Amino acid sequence: MTVEPKPSIKDVGSERLAAWLREQGQPAFRAKQIREWLYPKWCTDFTEMTNLPATLRAELAVAFEAFTVSADETVRGTDETEKFLLALPDGNRIESVLIRAPGRETVCISTQVGCPVRCVFCASGRGGLVRDLTAGEIVDQVIFACRALGHRVNNIVVMGIGEPLLNLGNLIPALDAICAADGLGVGARHVTVSTSGIVPGIRRLAEVARPWNLALSLHSPTDAGRSKVIPPRHRYPLVDVLAACDEYARLSGRMVTLEYTMIAGRNDSRDDLARLAQIARRLRAKVNLIPYNRTGEGICAPPAEGVAAFLDELCAGGVQATVRREKGAEIGAACGQLRARACPADGGAVG
Ligand code: SAH
Ligand code: SF4
């Protein structure tokens, strides 16, 4: 017999929680007390909610999960990067990364178990999509990082496992709770959502009008080039992707970042460079070059001097560009690599 996992209390809507509290004979103000424990106090255990009656704490523990993630493995890099392989109540695993830089503590969070997009270089998509994360599971990764740090993180990047814009129904309420003053209180301008270019998702994100930053994983400045790294099922025509990003920048007033995973011989030609610079100038976007972090056979990053020359030429062409050394590359911390190693059936062979 399989036991259904209990719902996360963070995924129980306010009306349902109010009805549940009424059934327990509890006054309505208990909902606010519970919320205060769950969000600003990062409480992970109902028994610690000391201003609630003991019977109510016990009933809550029977009905709901207070916290949904637990560390299966923690890998610390030499550069203040800590990667967590996190187990969910149903036994699935995801990853979060905590990156400490002076004055800027960032957590990189996952939005799905696996990923349906399945880009050729990415360990996260090897086994396809298992399931979406719930809003509670997304929020709990941030609480986990805050607890590990001992204080609140001040930067959130939605760049872990999964395609965030294919799980917007859960991501939007999760980020709202992460940013709310009576939630986790992270500044909305310090949130970046990264997408492989899901046009309807970019448009929806523009409509909901939150001041979150958008990062587009461009990878190649042409449709032909993108078709070699992003399979067709979730790939949109570049002209539509760029128009959606343009609209996002216009409506949100935020600058778009172009992420460009560099692969030798696939997207590092002079022609690629010229077209990339053109797109970046047109969108007034900054460019983040990410040397490919090896996840399997067949493809490799350009040599370091090739990446440096590409960067120099972009900058000389008036584009604001940086190289993101995959922090934690030495601990196998590229997207999805720890999970792929821990569950080879889901993540496929990893080199
Ligand atoms: N699905 C979203 C967000 C998660 S991936 C997206 O694709 O944007 C976040 C970033 O990590 C993407 O830009 C992706 O290209 C990059 N990435 C994934 N695996 C990588 C690898 N092995 N080497 C370098 N960059 C990688
Ligand atoms: Fe999914 Fe992003 Fe990995 Fe592509 S790069 S497979 S969209 S997580």
Side-chain angles (χ1 to χ4, degrees), residues 115-119 121-125 160-163 195-196 217 219 335:
C115 180
V117 181
R118 309 182 83 157
C119 302
F121 49 78
C122 178
S124 301
I161 297 173
E163 170 47 63
T195 179
S196 58
S217 292
H219 306 321
C335 188

Side-chain angles (χ1 to χ4, degrees), residues 2-311:
T2 51
V3 183
E4 272 289 299
K6 290 178 280 187
S8 160
I9 188 156
K10 298 187 182 81
D11 294 323
V12 176
S14 50
E15 278 176 28
R16 207 177 121 207
L17 184 59
W20 185 87
L21 285 168
R22 269 196 308 276
E23 279 164 29
Q24 311 301 313
Q26 291 293 330
F29 67 80
R30 295 286 181 218
K32 185 162 180 277
Q33 288 179 313
I34 294 169
R35 197 181 152 82
E36 280 166 2
W37 281 107
L38 290 173
Y39 293 95
K41 292 183 180 163
W42 313 333
C43 183
T44 62
D45 188 336
F46 291 116
T47 60
E48 290 167 9
M49 300 186 176
T50 45
N51 57 356
L52 304 183
T55 48
L56 174 60
R57 286 184 252 165
E59 290 299 336
L60 281 164
V62 170
F64 308 112
E65 295 284 358
F67 195 58
T68 54
V69 299
S70 59
D72 254 12
E73 193 183 335
T74 301
V75 188
R76 191 177 256 280
T78 53
D79 54 1
E80 295 312 312
T81 302
E82 229 172 323
K83 178 131 188 168
F84 309 111
L85 180 67
L86 300 174
L88 301 171
D90 66 358
N92 277 304
R93 292 185 181 99
I94 50 163
E95 298 174 6
S96 302
V97 188
L98 178 59
I99 305 150
R100 301 165 206 243
R104 192 177 161 100
E105 281 137 345
T106 301
V107 62
C108 172
I109 56 174
S110 297
T111 51
Q112 296 180 310
V113 179
C115 180
V117 181
R118 309 182 83 157
C119 302
V120 294
F121 49 78
C122 178
S124 301
R126 290 281 154 82
L129 177 70
V130 177
R131 69 169 175 87
D132 287 338
L133 295 188
T134 69
E137 288 168 334
I138 296 171
V139 172
D140 284 349
Q141 294 171 68
V142 179
I143 294 178
F144 186 95
C146 294
R147 289 174 67 97
L149 199 57
H151 54 261
R152 185 168 64 196
V153 296
N154 48 25
N155 207 37
I156 311 274
V157 293
V158 188
M159 294 184 184
I161 297 173
E163 170 47 63
L165 299 198
L166 291 176
N167 187 18
L168 270 180
N170 293 334
L171 180 64
I172 291 171
L175 289 179
D176 280 343
I178 288 165
C179 298
D182 63 351
L184 300 187
V186 177
R189 287 164 182 271
H190 301 284
V191 171
T192 300
V193 179
S194 174
T195 179
S196 58
I198 307 295
V199 170
I202 299 171
R203 294 206 181 277
R204 181 152 165 231
L205 207 57
E207 275 162 26
V208 300
R210 307 291 198 271
W212 302 327
N213 304 293
L214 181 70
L216 169 69
S217 292
L218 184 67
H219 306 321
S220 166
T222 64
D223 282 305
R226 294 188 98 227
S227 74
K228 292 192 184 116
V229 286
I230 308 176
R233 185 150 180 251
H234 295 286
R235 180 169 27 83
Y236 289 80
L238 197 48
V239 60
D240 296 340
V241 176
L242 296 178
C245 287
D246 211 20
E247 184 183 313
Y248 188 86
R250 196 168 46 78
L251 290 178
S252 68
R254 309 297 289 157
M255 202 175 181
V256 172
T257 302
L258 301 175
E259 292 169 282
Y260 199 86
T261 295
M262 293 194 73
I263 305 172
R266 295 224 185 168
N267 59 6
D268 58 346
S269 70
R270 296 202 64 80
D271 205 34
D272 290 323
L273 186 115
R275 287 172 196 256
L276 170 61
Q278 214 173 30
I279 291 173
R281 281 193 296 263
R282 206 176 68 224
L283 276 181
R284 282 186 289 279
K286 41 187 182 181
V287 173
N288 219 325
L289 301 174
I290 317 169
Y292 164 65
N293 191 2
R294 192 166 172 275
T295 57
E297 300 304 322
I299 53 176
C300 58
E305 53 282 14
V307 174
F310 202 89
L311 174 72

